[in-house]
Amino acid sequence: GPLSERPLMEVRLGELHSWISTRSFSAQGLLGAVQRAWGSYCAKYIHVKQGGRAGISMLLAGYCLLSYGWNYQHLKRHRWRKYH
C-alpha cells in the first residue's frame, strides 16, 4: 500500500524520512498516535484470554523509569556524597 498508510514497523530504513514527512504533527495528529499506541498495547498485553503479568509489569517499569527521569536533577542535588 501507500507509504503513508504503513505502520512504523513495516517501513524500511531508507523510506523512514519520507514516512515521517507524511505524518501529522498537529495536536490532533499526536493525540491520535497516542490513542493508537495505547490501543495496540492494550490489545497485545492487557486484553488477552490468558494474559500474564507482563503487560502490567511493563507499564509499572515504564512509570518508574519516567518518574526517575523527571526527578533526576532533584535526586542528583540531594544525594549524599562521601567527599564534599
Side-chain angles (χ1 to χ4, degrees):
L3 184 62
S4 63
E5 294 179 7
R6 287 193 221 162
L8 176 62
M9 297 307 291
E10 293 180 9
V11 176
R12 293 185 179 180
L13 194 56
E15 302 170 333
L16 187 61
H17 186 293
S18 301
W19 182 81
I20 289 174
S21 65
T22 63
R23 300 289 101 191
S24 171
F25 290 103
S26 65
Q28 188 175 11
L30 292 174
L31 181 64
V34 168
Q35 286 175 342
R36 284 191 304 276
W38 178 254
S40 65
Y41 171 80
C42 285
K44 188 172 182 177
Y45 294 107
I46 305 296
H47 304 301
V48 292
K49 286 186 177 180
Q50 293 180 344
R53 294 182 293 263
I56 302 296
S57 61
M58 284 189 338
L59 193 63
L60 183 62
Y63 172 74
C64 289
L65 289 173
L66 190 63
S67 175
Y68 181 78
W70 282 334
N71 293 318
Y72 180 73
Q73 290 297 325
H74 178 73
L75 294 171
K76 189 170 83 169
R77 271 186 269 131
H78 294 291
R79 65 181 168 198
W80 290 24
R81 296 178 187 241
K82 188 172 181 180
Y83 304 106
H84 295 18

